Amino acid sequence: MKKIVLALGCCLSYYVSFAQNAPNVIPQNNIVKDTARQTDLIDIGKALFRISPKKIREQRDKKLYFSILPSSSSPGGSGRVLITSTTAGVYLASKKTTNLSSVTFAPYWNFGSRFGLPLRSNIWLPNNTWNIQGDTRFLVYPQYTWGLGDGKSESEKLLVNYKYIRFYQNALKRIKPYFFAGLGYNLDYRFNINSDDPNTTLKDYTGYEYGTGKNSFSSGISLNLLYDTRNNSINPLPGMYANMVYRINPAFLGSNDSWSSIYTDVRKYISLNPAKPNQQNTLAIWSYFWTTLNSKTPYLDLPSTGWDPYNRSARGMDQNRYRGRSLFYLEGEYRRDITENGLLGFVVFTNVNTVSGSGSLFTSWHAAAGTGLRIKFNKGSNTNIGIDYGLSKGYSNVMFSLGEAF
């Protein structure tokens, strides 16, 4: 417990130091990109169908951008699914003082038992005075599990079926430029939990007592700290992001068992050619540490690969492959334009993780790597279509996305 308190204190000092070093003015970090020489799929569509705008307007006057991607992918669990991802980016005030807000709706269906309606939002109010975050999902979600730690091989997986309702809402107030603090409410309700093996329950397979029955209900409040110098979360330009969430789930709010957790997330974006800000040549680094603070955390709420807030981590691994009481994750990605007009680009990435479960944290590491193609869908919001191929020991997959992984 002393180690947890010390870690929490270090995190708080980390965020406070950022706030103290920040300038005492409204952040003016939102550079208006020159998109006149860039090309996206919208430009190609206009040329193909000979659509000419009635009046040419500068891109900087536009505040609302849409991107839509129908695709087939395998987000982890049971087979391929049809996904339709829609991302809307909007400026609620001047681009010079307000970050780009985004809303993503990505329903999917595998024409069978797998179905999902996830809606995520990241809203920046004028002059970045408030950041409102939302994550609402209804999922019919069969997925594989391998128990705690890394003691089981790829073939020893168990398919677990359940329905899932998530409702997360956070409101963060700007304390100083780039630094925000606030509260949130978090609800995770999983019901009709069962396995495809009639002779094996989730409790029997995992040997874990909490949240392995028919239902699992967690309801709690969170303390959120955020430091963010990015101006576009869809495709971040050079900058930094740091986030900490301390979540408490008491029984009096309806949780089956009282438990708490800490999630810390740090990302850094380094431009390798600052002289050409309109061309992508960036090294992106992402790391997070996620841990529970007691022994009664429900099994499906335990830290797990691919279950970060936006389900973007552990590319090249099956979602849920490694699960434990604590998880440390590190990823690096190189992003580069292929064409001068920004229409095509590529990425190369690698990631590692370690979990506590069958052993101690940092004693066993699991790696994945891959590469991907980027196609500019909307140059106004800098939204790319991502086609990534990743692989790890015993597993590989192709992933489609709107926007970058992080």
Side-chain angles (χ1 to χ4, degrees), residues 170-237:
N170 304 312
L172 287 78
K173 178 75 170 66
R174 190 185 72 223
I175 307 302
K176 290 200 172 186
Y178 313 123
F179 180 68
F180 301 78
L183 297 175
Y185 175 73
N186 302 268
L187 178 136
D188 294 281
Y189 178 37
R190 297 175 174 89
F191 54 101
N192 295 345
I193 302 171
N194 62 83
S195 75
D196 266 14
D197 185 345
N199 300 315
T200 304
T201 66
L202 182 58
K203 183 177 180 180
D204 294 336
Y205 177 80
T206 62
Y208 192 81
E209 179 179 357
Y210 302 99
T212 51
K214 291 295 183 182
N215 302 302
S216 174
F217 191 87
S218 297
S219 173
I221 58 175
S222 62
L223 168 65
N224 303 269
L225 299 177
L226 173 67
Y227 176 82
D228 195 353
T229 66
R230 308 171 305 168
N231 58 12
N232 183 347
S233 60
I234 298 174
N235 188 354
L237 295 173

Coordinates of all heavy atoms in Angstrom, one line a residue, residues 170-237:
N170 N -16.8 12.5 -17.9 CA -15.9 13.3 -17.1 C -15.9 14.8 -17.5 O -16.1 15.1 -18.7 CB -14.4 12.8 -17.4 CG -14.3 11.3 -17.1 OD1 -14.7 10.8 -16.0 ND2 -13.6 10.6 -18.0
A171 N -15.8 15.6 -16.5 CA -15.8 17.1 -16.8 C -14.5 17.6 -16.1 O -14.4 17.5 -14.9 CB -17.0 17.8 -16.2
L172 N -13.6 18.2 -16.9 CA -12.4 18.7 -16.4 C -12.3 20.2 -16.6 O -12.5 20.7 -17.8 CB -11.2 18.0 -17.1 CG -10.9 16.6 -16.7 CD1 -11.9 15.6 -17.4 CD2 -9.5 16.2 -17.0
K173 N -11.9 21.0 -15.6 CA -11.8 22.4 -15.7 C -10.3 22.8 -15.8 O -9.5 22.2 -15.2 CB -12.3 23.1 -14.4 CG -12.2 24.6 -14.3 CD -13.2 25.2 -15.2 CE -13.3 26.7 -14.9 NZ -12.1 27.5 -15.3
R174 N -10.1 23.8 -16.7 CA -8.7 24.3 -16.9 C -8.2 25.0 -15.6 O -8.9 25.9 -15.1 CB -8.6 25.2 -18.1 CG -7.1 25.5 -18.4 CD -7.0 26.5 -19.5 NE -7.4 27.8 -19.0 CZ -8.1 28.7 -19.7 NH1 -8.6 28.4 -20.9 NH2 -8.4 29.9 -19.2
I175 N -7.1 24.5 -15.0 CA -6.5 25.1 -13.8 C -5.5 26.2 -14.3 O -5.4 27.3 -13.8 CB -5.9 24.1 -12.9 CG1 -6.9 23.0 -12.6 CG2 -5.4 24.8 -11.7 CD1 -8.2 23.5 -11.9
K176 N -4.7 25.7 -15.2 CA -3.7 26.6 -15.9 C -3.6 26.1 -17.3 O -4.1 25.1 -17.7 CB -2.3 26.5 -15.2 CG -2.3 27.1 -13.8 CD -0.8 27.4 -13.4 CE -0.8 28.2 -12.1 NZ 0.6 28.6 -11.8
P177 N -3.0 26.9 -18.2 CA -2.9 26.5 -19.6 C -2.4 25.1 -19.7 O -1.3 24.8 -19.1 CB -2.0 27.5 -20.2 CG -2.2 28.8 -19.4 CD -2.5 28.3 -18.0
Y178 N -3.1 24.3 -20.4 CA -2.7 22.9 -20.7 C -3.0 21.9 -19.6 O -3.0 20.7 -19.7 CB -1.2 22.7 -21.1 CG -0.7 23.7 -22.1 CD1 0.4 24.5 -21.9 CD2 -1.4 23.8 -23.4 CE1 0.8 25.4 -22.8 CE2 -0.9 24.7 -24.3 CZ 0.2 25.5 -24.0 OH 0.7 26.4 -24.9
F179 N -3.3 22.4 -18.4 CA -3.5 21.6 -17.2 C -4.9 21.6 -16.7 O -5.5 22.7 -16.5 CB -2.6 22.0 -16.1 CG -2.7 21.2 -14.8 CD1 -2.3 19.8 -14.8 CD2 -3.3 21.7 -13.7 CE1 -2.5 19.1 -13.7 CE2 -3.4 20.9 -12.5 CZ -3.0 19.6 -12.5
F180 N -5.6 20.4 -16.6 CA -7.0 20.4 -16.2 C -7.2 19.4 -15.1 O -6.4 18.4 -14.9 CB -7.8 19.9 -17.4 CG -7.7 20.7 -18.7 CD1 -6.6 20.7 -19.5 CD2 -8.7 21.6 -19.0 CE1 -6.5 21.5 -20.6 CE2 -8.6 22.4 -20.1 CZ -7.5 22.4 -20.9
A181 N -8.2 19.6 -14.3 CA -8.6 18.7 -13.2 C -10.1 18.6 -13.1 O -10.8 19.6 -13.4 CB -8.0 19.1 -11.9
G182 N -10.6 17.4 -12.8 CA -12.1 17.3 -12.7 C -12.5 16.0 -12.2 O -11.7 15.1 -11.8
L183 N -13.8 15.8 -12.2 CA -14.4 14.6 -11.6 C -15.2 13.8 -12.7 O -15.5 14.4 -13.8 CB -15.4 14.9 -10.5 CG -14.8 15.5 -9.2 CD1 -15.9 15.9 -8.2 CD2 -13.8 14.6 -8.6
G184 N -15.4 12.6 -12.5 CA -16.2 11.8 -13.5 C -17.0 10.7 -12.8 O -16.8 10.4 -11.6
Y185 N -17.9 10.2 -13.6 CA -18.7 9.0 -13.2 C -18.5 7.9 -14.1 O -18.4 8.1 -15.4 CB -20.2 9.3 -13.1 CG -21.0 8.1 -12.8 CD1 -21.1 7.6 -11.5 CD2 -21.8 7.5 -13.8 CE1 -21.8 6.4 -11.2 CE2 -22.5 6.3 -13.5 CZ -22.5 5.8 -12.2 OH -23.3 4.7 -11.9
N186 N -18.2 6.7 -13.6 CA -17.9 5.5 -14.4 C -18.8 4.3 -14.1 O -18.8 3.9 -12.9 CB -16.4 5.1 -14.2 CG -15.5 6.3 -14.6 OD1 -15.0 6.4 -15.7 ND2 -15.2 7.1 -13.6
L187 N -19.5 3.7 -15.1 CA -20.3 2.6 -14.8 C -19.9 1.5 -15.8 O -19.8 1.7 -17.0 CB -21.8 2.9 -15.0 CG -22.8 1.8 -14.8 CD1 -23.9 2.2 -14.0 CD2 -23.3 1.3 -16.2
D188 N -19.7 0.3 -15.3 CA -19.5 -0.9 -16.1 C -20.4 -2.0 -15.7 O -20.3 -2.4 -14.5 CB -18.0 -1.4 -16.0 CG -17.0 -0.4 -16.5 OD1 -16.8 -0.4 -17.8 OD2 -16.4 0.3 -15.7
Y189 N -21.3 -2.4 -16.6 CA -22.3 -3.4 -16.2 C -22.2 -4.6 -17.3 O -22.5 -4.3 -18.5 CB -23.7 -2.9 -16.2 CG -24.8 -3.9 -15.9 CD1 -24.6 -4.9 -15.0 CD2 -26.0 -3.8 -16.6 CE1 -25.6 -5.8 -14.7 CE2 -27.0 -4.7 -16.3 CZ -26.8 -5.7 -15.4 OH -27.8 -6.6 -15.1
R190 N -21.7 -5.7 -16.9 CA -21.7 -6.9 -17.7 C -22.6 -7.9 -17.2 O -22.6 -8.2 -16.0 CB -20.2 -7.4 -17.8 CG -19.2 -6.5 -18.4 CD -17.8 -7.0 -18.3 NE -16.8 -6.2 -19.0 CZ -16.2 -5.2 -18.4 NH1 -16.4 -4.9 -17.1 NH2 -15.3 -4.4 -19.1
F191 N -23.5 -8.5 -18.1 CA -24.5 -9.4 -17.6 C -24.6 -10.6 -18.6 O -24.1 -10.5 -19.8 CB -25.8 -8.7 -17.4 CG -26.3 -7.9 -18.6 CD1 -27.3 -8.4 -19.4 CD2 -25.9 -6.6 -18.8 CE1 -27.8 -7.7 -20.5 CE2 -26.3 -5.9 -19.9 CZ -27.3 -6.4 -20.7
N192 N -25.3 -11.6 -18.2 CA -25.4 -12.9 -19.0 C -24.0 -13.4 -19.3 O -23.7 -13.8 -20.5 CB -26.2 -12.7 -20.3 CG -27.6 -12.3 -20.0 OD1 -28.1 -12.5 -18.9 ND2 -28.3 -11.8 -21.0
I193 N -23.1 -13.4 -18.3 CA -21.7 -13.9 -18.5 C -21.7 -15.4 -18.6 O -22.2 -16.1 -17.6 CB -20.8 -13.4 -17.4 CG1 -20.8 -11.9 -17.4 CG2 -19.4 -13.9 -17.7 CD1 -20.0 -11.3 -16.2
N194 N -21.2 -16.0 -19.6 CA -21.1 -17.5 -19.7 C -20.0 -17.8 -20.7 O -19.6 -17.0 -21.5 CB -22.5 -18.1 -20.1 CG -22.9 -17.6 -21.5 OD1 -22.5 -18.2 -22.5 ND2 -23.8 -16.6 -21.5
S195 N -19.6 -19.1 -20.7 CA -18.6 -19.5 -21.7 C -19.2 -20.5 -22.7 O -20.3 -21.0 -22.5 CB -17.5 -20.3 -20.9 OG -17.9 -21.5 -20.5
D196 N -18.5 -20.7 -23.8 CA -19.0 -21.6 -24.8 C -18.8 -23.0 -24.5 O -19.4 -23.9 -25.1 CB -18.2 -21.3 -26.2 CG -19.0 -20.3 -27.0 OD1 -19.9 -19.7 -26.5 OD2 -18.6 -20.2 -28.2
D197 N -18.0 -23.3 -23.4 CA -17.8 -24.6 -22.9 C -18.8 -24.9 -21.8 O -18.7 -24.3 -20.7 CB -16.4 -24.8 -22.4 CG -16.1 -26.2 -22.0 OD1 -17.0 -27.0 -21.9 OD2 -14.9 -26.5 -21.9
P198 N -19.8 -25.8 -22.0 CA -20.8 -26.0 -21.0 C -20.3 -26.6 -19.7 O -20.9 -26.6 -18.7 CB -21.8 -27.0 -21.7 CG -21.0 -27.6 -22.8 CD -20.0 -26.6 -23.2
N199 N -19.1 -27.2 -19.8 CA -18.5 -27.8 -18.7 C -17.5 -26.9 -17.9 O -16.9 -27.4 -16.9 CB -17.8 -29.1 -19.1 CG -18.7 -30.1 -19.7 OD1 -19.8 -30.4 -19.2 ND2 -18.3 -30.7 -20.9
T200 N -17.3 -25.7 -18.4 CA -16.3 -24.8 -17.8 C -16.9 -23.4 -17.6 O -17.3 -22.8 -18.6 CB -15.0 -24.7 -18.6 OG1 -14.5 -26.0 -18.9 CG2 -14.0 -23.9 -17.9
T201 N -17.0 -23.0 -16.4 CA -17.4 -21.6 -16.1 C -16.2 -20.7 -16.1 O -15.0 -21.2 -16.0 CB -18.1 -21.5 -14.8 OG1 -17.2 -21.8 -13.7 CG2 -19.3 -22.5 -14.7
L202 N -16.4 -19.4 -16.2 CA -15.3 -18.4 -16.2 C -14.6 -18.5 -14.8 O -13.3 -18.4 -14.8 CB -15.9 -17.0 -16.4 CG -14.8 -15.9 -16.4 CD1 -13.8 -16.1 -17.5 CD2 -15.5 -14.5 -16.6
K203 N -15.3 -18.8 -13.7 CA -14.6 -18.9 -12.4 C -13.8 -20.1 -12.4 O -12.6 -20.1 -11.9 CB -15.7 -19.0 -11.3 CG -15.1 -19.0 -9.9 CD -16.2 -19.0 -8.9 CE -15.6 -19.1 -7.5 NZ -16.7 -19.1 -6.4
D204 N -14.3 -21.3 -12.9 CA -13.4 -22.5 -13.0 C -12.2 -22.3 -13.8 O -11.1 -22.7 -13.4 CB -14.3 -23.6 -13.6 CG -15.4 -24.0 -12.7 OD1 -15.4 -23.8 -11.4 OD2 -16.4 -24.6 -13.2
Y205 N -12.3 -21.6 -14.9 CA -11.2 -21.5 -15.9 C -10.1 -20.6 -15.3 O -8.9 -20.8 -15.4 CB -11.7 -20.9 -17.2 CG -10.6 -20.6 -18.2 CD1 -10.1 -21.7 -19.0 CD2 -10.2 -19.3 -18.4 CE1 -9.1 -21.4 -19.9 CE2 -9.2 -19.1 -19.3 CZ -8.6 -20.1 -20.1 OH -7.6 -19.8 -21.0
T206 N -10.6 -19.5 -14.7 CA -9.6 -18.5 -14.2 C -9.1 -18.7 -12.7 O -8.1 -18.2 -12.4 CB -10.2 -17.1 -14.3 OG1 -11.4 -17.0 -13.4 CG2 -10.6 -16.7 -15.7
G207 N -9.9 -19.4 -12.0 CA -9.6 -19.5 -10.5 C -9.8 -18.2 -9.8 O -9.2 -18.0 -8.7
Y208 N -10.6 -17.3 -10.4 CA -10.7 -16.0 -9.8 C -12.2 -15.8 -9.3 O -13.1 -16.2 -10.0 CB -10.4 -14.9 -10.9 CG -10.3 -13.5 -10.3 CD1 -9.1 -13.1 -9.7 CD2 -11.3 -12.6 -10.5 CE1 -8.9 -11.8 -9.3 CE2 -11.2 -11.3 -10.0 CZ -10.0 -10.9 -9.4 OH -9.8 -9.6 -8.9
E209 N -12.4 -15.2 -8.1 CA -13.7 -15.2 -7.5 C -14.6 -14.1 -7.9 O -15.8 -14.3 -8.0 CB -13.5 -15.2 -6.0 CG -14.8 -15.2 -5.2 CD -14.5 -15.2 -3.7 OE1 -13.3 -15.3 -3.3 OE2 -15.5 -15.1 -2.9
Y210 N -14.0 -12.9 -8.1 CA -14.8 -11.7 -8.3 C -15.2 -11.4 -9.7 O -14.3 -11.4 -10.6 CB -14.1 -10.5 -7.6 CG -13.8 -10.7 -6.2 CD1 -12.5 -11.1 -5.8 CD2 -14.8 -10.6 -5.2 CE1 -12.2 -11.4 -4.5 CE2 -14.5 -10.8 -3.9 CZ -13.2 -11.2 -3.5 OH -12.9 -11.5 -2.2
G211 N -16.5 -11.1 -10.0 CA -16.9 -10.8 -11.3 C -16.9 -11.9 -12.3 O -17.0 -11.7 -13.5
T212 N -16.9 -13.2 -11.8 CA -16.9 -14.3 -12.7 C -18.2 -15.1 -12.7 O -18.3 -16.2 -13.2 CB -15.7 -15.2 -12.4 OG1 -15.7 -15.5 -11.0 CG2 -14.4 -14.6 -12.8
G213 N -19.2 -14.5 -12.0 CA -20.6 -15.1 -12.0 C -21.4 -14.7 -13.2 O -20.8 -14.4 -14.3
K214 N -22.7 -14.6 -13.1 CA -23.6 -14.3 -14.2 C -23.5 -12.8 -14.5 O -23.7 -12.4 -15.6 CB -25.0 -14.7 -13.9 CG -25.2 -16.2 -13.8 CD -25.0 -16.8 -15.2 CE -25.3 -18.3 -15.3 NZ -25.0 -18.9 -16.6
N215 N -23.3 -12.0 -13.5 CA -23.3 -10.5 -13.7 C -22.1 -9.9 -12.9 O -21.6 -10.4 -11.9 CB -24.6 -9.9 -13.1 CG -25.8 -10.5 -13.8 OD1 -26.0 -10.5 -15.0 ND2 -26.7 -11.1 -13.0
S216 N -21.7 -8.7 -13.4 CA -20.7 -7.9 -12.8 C -21.1 -6.4 -12.9 O -21.2 -5.9 -14.1 CB -19.3 -8.2 -13.5 OG -18.3 -7.3 -13.0
F217 N -21.2 -5.7 -11.8 CA -21.7 -4.4 -11.8 C -20.7 -3.5 -11.0 O -20.4 -3.8 -9.9 CB -23.1 -4.2 -11.2 CG -23.7 -2.9 -11.4 CD1 -24.4 -2.6 -12.5 CD2 -23.5 -1.9 -10.4 CE1 -25.0 -1.4 -12.7 CE2 -24.1 -0.6 -10.6 CZ -24.9 -0.4 -11.8
S218 N -20.1 -2.5 -11.7 CA -19.2 -1.6 -11.1 C -19.6 -0.1 -11.3 O -19.9 0.3 -12.5 CB -17.8 -1.7 -11.6 OG -17.2 -3.0 -11.3
S219 N -19.8 0.6 -10.3 CA -20.3 2.0 -10.3 C -19.4 2.9 -9.4 O -19.3 2.6 -8.2 CB -21.7 2.1 -9.9 OG -22.2 3.4 -9.8
G220 N -18.7 3.9 -10.0 CA -17.8 4.7 -9.2 C -17.6 6.1 -9.7 O -18.0 6.5 -10.8
I221 N -16.9 6.8 -8.9 CA -16.5 8.2 -9.3 C -14.9 8.2 -9.5 O -14.2 7.3 -9.0 CB -16.8 9.2 -8.2 CG1 -16.2 8.8 -6.9 CG2 -18.4 9.3 -8.1 CD1 -16.4 9.8 -5.8
S222 N -14.5 9.2 -10.3 CA -13.1 9.3 -10.6 C -12.5 10.7 -10.4 O -13.3 11.7 -10.7 CB -12.8 8.8 -12.0 OG -13.5 9.6 -13.0
L223 N -11.3 10.8 -10.0 CA -10.5 12.0 -10.0 C -9.7 12.0 -11.3 O -8.9 11.0 -11.5 CB -9.7 12.1 -8.8 CG -8.6 13.3 -8.8 CD1 -9.3 14.6 -8.8 CD2 -7.7 13.1 -7.6
N224 N -9.8 13.0 -12.1 CA -9.1 13.1 -13.4 C -8.1 14.3 -13.4 O -8.5 15.4 -13.2 CB -10.1 13.2 -14.5 CG -11.1 12.0 -14.6 OD1 -10.8 11.0 -15.2 ND2 -12.2 12.2 -13.8
L225 N -6.9 14.0 -13.8 CA -5.9 15.1 -14.0 C -5.4 14.9 -15.5 O -5.1 13.8 -15.9 CB -4.7 15.0 -13.1 CG -5.0 15.1 -11.6 CD1 -3.8 14.9 -10.8 CD2 -5.7 16.4 -11.3
L226 N -5.3 16.1 -16.2 CA -4.9 16.0 -17.6 C -4.0 17.2 -17.9 O -4.2 18.3 -17.5 CB -6.2 16.2 -18.5 CG -6.0 16.3 -20.0 CD1 -5.4 15.1 -20.6 CD2 -7.3 16.7 -20.7
Y227 N -2.9 16.8 -18.6 CA -2.0 17.8 -19.2 C -1.9 17.5 -20.7 O -1.5 16.4 -21.1 CB -0.6 17.7 -18.6 CG 0.4 18.7 -19.2 CD1 0.5 20.0 -18.8 CD2 1.3 18.2 -20.1 CE1 1.4 20.8 -19.3 CE2 2.3 19.1 -20.7 CZ 2.3 20.4 -20.3 OH 3.2 21.2 -20.8
D228 N -2.3 18.5 -21.6 CA -2.4 18.2 -23.0 C -2.0 19.4 -23.8 O -2.7 20.5 -23.8 CB -3.9 17.8 -23.3 CG -4.1 17.2 -24.7 OD1 -3.1 17.2 -25.4 OD2 -5.2 16.7 -25.0
T229 N -0.9 19.3 -24.5 CA -0.5 20.4 -25.4 C -0.8 20.1 -26.9 O -0.5 20.9 -27.8 CB 1.0 20.7 -25.3 OG1 1.7 19.6 -25.8 CG2 1.4 21.0 -23.8
R230 N -1.5 19.0 -27.1 CA -1.9 18.7 -28.5 C -3.1 19.6 -28.9 O -3.9 20.0 -28.0 CB -2.4 17.2 -28.6 CG -1.3 16.2 -28.1 CD -1.9 14.8 -28.0 NE -3.2 14.8 -27.3 CZ -4.0 13.8 -27.2 NH1 -3.8 12.7 -28.0 NH2 -5.1 13.9 -26.5
N231 N -3.3 19.9 -30.2 CA -4.4 20.6 -30.6 C -5.4 19.8 -31.4 O -6.4 20.3 -31.9 CB -4.0 21.9 -31.4 CG -3.2 21.5 -32.6 OD1 -3.1 20.4 -33.0 ND2 -2.5 22.5 -33.2
N232 N -5.0 18.5 -31.6 CA -5.9 17.6 -32.5 C -5.7 16.2 -32.0 O -4.6 15.6 -32.3 CB -5.5 17.8 -34.0 CG -6.4 17.0 -34.9 OD1 -7.1 16.1 -34.4 ND2 -6.3 17.3 -36.2
S233 N -6.6 15.6 -31.3 CA -6.5 14.3 -30.8 C -6.7 13.2 -31.9 O -6.3 12.1 -31.7 CB -7.5 14.0 -29.7 OG -8.8 14.2 -30.1
I234 N -7.3 13.6 -33.1 CA -7.5 12.7 -34.2 C -6.1 12.3 -34.8 O -5.9 11.2 -35.1 CB -8.4 13.3 -35.2 CG1 -9.8 13.5 -34.6 CG2 -8.5 12.3 -36.4 CD1 -10.7 14.2 -35.5
N235 N -5.3 13.3 -35.0 CA -3.9 13.1 -35.5 C -3.0 14.1 -34.9 O -2.8 15.2 -35.4 CB -3.9 13.2 -37.0 CG -2.6 12.8 -37.7 OD1 -1.7 12.6 -37.0 ND2 -2.6 12.8 -39.0
P236 N -2.4 13.8 -33.7 CA -1.7 14.8 -33.0 C -0.4 15.3 -33.7 O 0.3 14.6 -34.3 CB -1.3 14.1 -31.7 CG -2.3 12.9 -31.6 CD -2.5 12.6 -33.0
L237 N -0.3 16.6 -33.6 CA 1.0 17.3 -34.0 C 2.0 17.2 -32.9 O 1.6 16.8 -31.8 CB 0.7 18.7 -34.5 CG -0.2 18.9 -35.7 CD1 -0.5 20.3 -35.9 CD2 0.5 18.3 -36.9

